[in-house]
Amino acid sequence: MTVEVQDAIQEIAGSYRDCRVESADDGEGGAFVTVHDVLLEGGLYQQSKTWVGFRITHTYPYADVYPHFVRHDLSRWDGKPLGEGTSIGSFRNEPAIQVSRRSNRHDPTSDTALLKLCKVIRWLISRP
């Protein structure tokens, strides 16, 4: 893993102290990262927690951290579909829901893996 990728993982682990953060070398200088037990505040979902997985590539911080994945059984209390920005997928050969929140104007000086994770979680819990 590159130093930048290692630093990004440490920053995430330091900010999500109540969650278990796992990382695995991707063999190309990047890492697959899974943050377990992420709280889904707001009561929108039947599940109170999810895992969030993503890959930080070796080109980080110059590449966007995209896409993110969450538990495959995520469902809303009101029975509505998860909607735009989500699709059925897999993360590291496990069933998952893909959350597509691409940063079209990615700025490597300010758009960190941690910030992107926070934005994805905030987007998930603030859905209409």
Side-chain angles (χ1 to χ4, degrees):
M1 273 181 244
T2 67
V3 171
E4 293 84 2
V5 171
Q6 292 175 23
D7 290 347
I9 295 167
Q10 289 301 321
E11 185 178 29
I12 291 166
S15 295
Y16 283 85
R17 293 180 192 268
D18 293 338
C19 301
R20 181 170 49 93
V21 178
E22 288 182 326
S23 63
D25 194 310
D26 71 358
E28 298 176 4
F32 294 101
V33 179
T34 306
V35 182
H36 296 272
D37 300 320
V38 174
L39 187 61
L40 294 171
E41 298 173 334
L44 179 63
Y45 299 101
Q46 291 187 32
Q47 300 80 9
S48 61
K49 293 181 180 179
T50 188
W51 57 265
V52 181
F54 49 94
R55 182 179 181 201
I56 305 174
T57 65
H58 71 283
T59 56
Y60 179 84
Y62 301 102
D64 188 18
V65 178
Y66 170 88
H68 287 69
F69 297 87
V70 296
R71 62 188 297 160
H72 76 282
D73 60 345
L74 188 67
S75 58
R76 295 171 55 125
W77 276 111
D78 61 11
K80 291 182 182 177
L82 297 178
E84 53 88 18
T86 63
S87 61
I88 296 172
S90 67
F91 180 69
R92 304 199 68 205
N93 298 318
E94 294 295 326
I97 300 292
Q98 179 175 316
V99 179
S100 297
R101 305 303 303 160
R102 182 175 294 282
S103 299
N104 292 325
R105 291 182 220 112
H106 178 75
D107 181 350
T109 63
S110 60
D111 292 331
T112 66
L114 171 62
L115 178 62
K116 183 67 176 274
L117 174 62
C118 293
K119 285 181 176 181
V120 166
I121 294 168
R122 186 170 46 243
W123 181 80
L124 273 172
I125 63 177
S126 64
R127 307 272 304 172

